[in-house]
Amino acid sequence: MTTYWLEHAWLDTHVEPGVAVEVADGRITAVRTDVPTPPPGAEILRGLTLPGLANAHSHAFHRALRGTVQVGSGTFWTWREVMYATADRLTPESYHALARAVYAEMALAGVTSVGEFHYLHHAPGGTPYADPNAMGEALIAAAADAGIRITLLDTAYLSAGFGQPPNTHQLRFSDGTAEAWAERCSLLKERDHARIGAAIHSVRAVPAGQLATVAAWAEARRAPLHVHLSEQTTENDACQEAHGCTPTRLLADHGVLGGRTTGVHNTHLTDEDIALLGGSGTGTCMCPTTERDLADGIGPAVALQKAGSPLSLGSDSHAVIDLLEEARAMELNERLRTRTRGHWTAAALLRAASADGHAALGWDEAGAIETGALADLTTIALDSVRTAGPLPRLGAETAVFAATAADVRHTVVGGRQVVRDGAHTLVPDVPQALARAVDASRG
């Protein structure tokens, strides 16, 4: 058994000073409050400790684009061409190296679980590897090497658009049919640190007649199902022309929506779309730093949550990896849009970044500091230039509205300290690992 002594702990509703957390076999076995000094032999976590953060939407290879796609003007669609060029160069070996470094960066930012929206399945030209899941296995191994949990959201990506075959770049992504996708995906096995979910890339990338196949695969396994939804108005217009309805209505009509489904972005929605998503309990994963980086727009997160759609957060293209910034940005974006403040409490934003994000990834037992939960913890320094000053009891507000990923001092996953005093314990030099892997991905 290991005991962690938390100088200050966020216990879902309030900050508690002096908390001892006992851990065995990766889970919290006891939480004791009113422990003013560290018990003998305890691991000391000074600062404010939160439940581990969940990054509910990631494309690991997009990290190689950071800082290279900011010159000149353009749109999501011009950015996508640069992204394709990076994808074309990756192999299972180079993808493992890149993802390992990216997931280590996430651990340094307090992320304990990632949802990897994975569609880079085959070799260039679409030829399967000898192991048809070589690329997915590389991601699962990378998460283990970086010490974090992963939900591999294996993605069906079958067409370039409504009625269009995959283009040259997209041949790597396509299994040909949803049935073939399901056959390959069924070969993936879960591990202690890895769960397997499903994804529909978008309504433009999976023909309407094959949506139900992907949904049925996830339903049979009670697995998470994610889908990019209405990220761009172009997609909405094309869906209307092809099917006479919105993407949300198309998904509803083919049985995709539901309590284990999460729509990613959900940016350009009608009132009927919002009612369909909320009424079915379909989640919403907002990715504010990517949505602003790609000039996508601001989604109706407040209306979605009021309608019944649980909110989670993701760093998506990794313009930055900072779940505290994602939480802050969701509130600040809404302030800009409405010119009013206070749409969510800091506690609600932390839940989106932790418990609700883990639930969206199928890790319902994570995201809380309580007996029986997975022992995943993130500790934020309270003495940095950003966090010094506020009272410790204002912990949620300090974490969301002052701190950044740079303030994360410790990250514990399954009771193991993966980040100690701001340094990764498994990947000794994360910046160097990132530099090497990104350089290799650029050919």
Side-chain angles (χ1 to χ4, degrees):
M1 185 186 76
T2 301
T3 298
Y4 285 96
W5 182 78
L6 319 182
E7 185 181 26
H8 301 279
W10 173 251
L11 300 182
D12 190 46
T13 59
H14 66 288
V15 171
E16 189 76 32
V19 174
V21 173
E22 295 175 3
V23 175
D25 298 324
R27 290 184 180 263
I28 297 173
T29 57
V31 177
R32 294 187 287 115
T33 57
D34 195 21
V35 184
T37 58
E43 297 280 348
I44 298 172
L45 304 183
R46 294 205 179 274
L48 170 66
T49 298
L50 316 170
L53 304 179
N55 189 348
H57 189 67
S58 162
H59 301 290
F61 76 92
H62 290 190
R63 173 62 178 80
L65 304 179
R66 186 186 295 178
T68 67
V69 288
Q70 303 298 338
V71 178
S73 60
T75 65
F76 166 86
W77 305 101
T78 54
W79 169 89
R80 190 175 71 159
E81 293 304 312
V82 182
M83 179 269 289
Y84 282 159
T86 299
D88 286 344
R89 289 189 287 268
L90 288 169
T91 66
E93 293 75 22
S94 64
Y95 203 10
H96 171 268
L98 178 59
R100 172 180 173 268
V102 174
Y103 296 155
E105 182 183 357
M106 289 185 194
L108 289 172
V111 171
T112 56
S113 296
V114 60
E116 185 63 37
F117 200 100
H118 166 57
Y119 53 81
L120 191 53
H121 301 307
H122 307 299
T127 302
Y129 290 102
D131 175 355
N133 286 305
M135 295 295 267
E137 292 290 349
L139 292 166
I140 291 171
D145 292 346
I148 69 171
R149 306 183 194 279
I150 185 171
T151 297
L152 188 73
L153 297 161
D154 196 284
T155 304
Y157 194 138
L158 308 173
S159 57
F162 298 99
Q164 301 174 27
N167 65 31
T168 300
H169 300 293
Q170 295 162 346
L171 291 172
R172 293 198 76 171
F173 312 159
S174 178
D175 292 294
T177 67
E179 289 76 12
W181 165 85
E183 183 178 352
R184 178 187 53 74
C185 197
S186 296
L187 299 174
L188 289 161
K189 305 300 181 186
E190 296 194 339
R191 340 273 149 101
D192 288 344
H193 80 290
R195 292 183 178 168
I196 308 301
I200 292 165
H201 180 272
S202 56
V203 294
R204 70 178 185 272
V206 177
Q210 300 187 59
L211 292 170
T213 299
V214 183
W217 187 95
E219 178 64 25
R221 291 158 178 78
R222 303 186 66 80
L225 173 61
H226 289 214
V227 54
H228 289 134
L229 181 57
S230 289
E231 183 179 4
Q232 297 290 326
T233 55
T234 303
E235 176 184 289
N236 289 0
D237 295 343
C239 187
Q240 193 73 42
E241 182 177 348
H243 296 288
C245 65
T246 66
T248 301
R249 168 52 71 182
L250 188 68
L251 294 175
D253 289 348
H254 289 83
V256 175
L257 303 186
R260 281 189 297 278
T261 300
T262 296
V264 181
H265 303 302
N266 293 359
T267 306
H268 302 286
L269 303 178
T270 66
D271 290 344
E272 182 192 26
D273 293 339
I274 292 170
L276 284 169
L277 293 167
S280 62
T282 300
T284 295
C285 180
M286 303 297 290
C287 305
T289 64
T290 289
E291 289 151 5
R292 71 191 184 197
D293 183 62
L294 297 180
D296 286 343
I298 300 172
V302 172
L304 282 160
Q305 188 171 51
K306 287 181 178 178
S309 179
L311 300 180
S312 55
L313 295 164
S315 62
D316 193 358
S317 68
H318 312 313
V320 298
I321 294 177
D322 188 339
L323 265 289
L324 301 173
E325 171 61 18
E326 303 294 346
R328 175 165 55 245
M330 189 162 67
E331 165 68 22
L332 298 186
N333 282 355
E334 195 65 19
R335 292 183 185 184
L336 286 174
R337 192 179 69 80
T338 63
R339 289 180 290 174
T340 60
R341 306 176 76 203
H343 302 277
W344 292 276
T345 63
L349 293 169
L350 280 183
R351 281 193 293 275
S354 55
D356 291 346
H358 280 102
L361 298 178
W363 295 96
D364 300 80
E365 65 272 52
I369 302 175
E370 62 184 24
T371 301
L374 291 170
D376 297 353
L377 308 170
T378 297
T379 303
I380 295 170
L382 293 177
D383 57 358
S384 77
V385 293
R386 288 164 294 277
T387 61
L391 297 172
R393 63 180 173 81
L394 300 177
E397 286 75 12
T398 300
V400 172
F401 292 108
T404 73
D407 297 308
V408 172
R409 288 294 173 265
H410 312 290
T411 304
V412 176
V413 183
R416 177 174 65 167
Q417 200 160 359
V418 175
V419 174
R420 181 182 293 114
D421 296 322
H424 203 289
T425 62
L426 304 176
V427 183
D429 191 335
V430 177
Q432 185 181 57
L434 282 164
R436 285 198 303 261
V438 169
D439 186 60
S441 74
R442 293 172 181 160

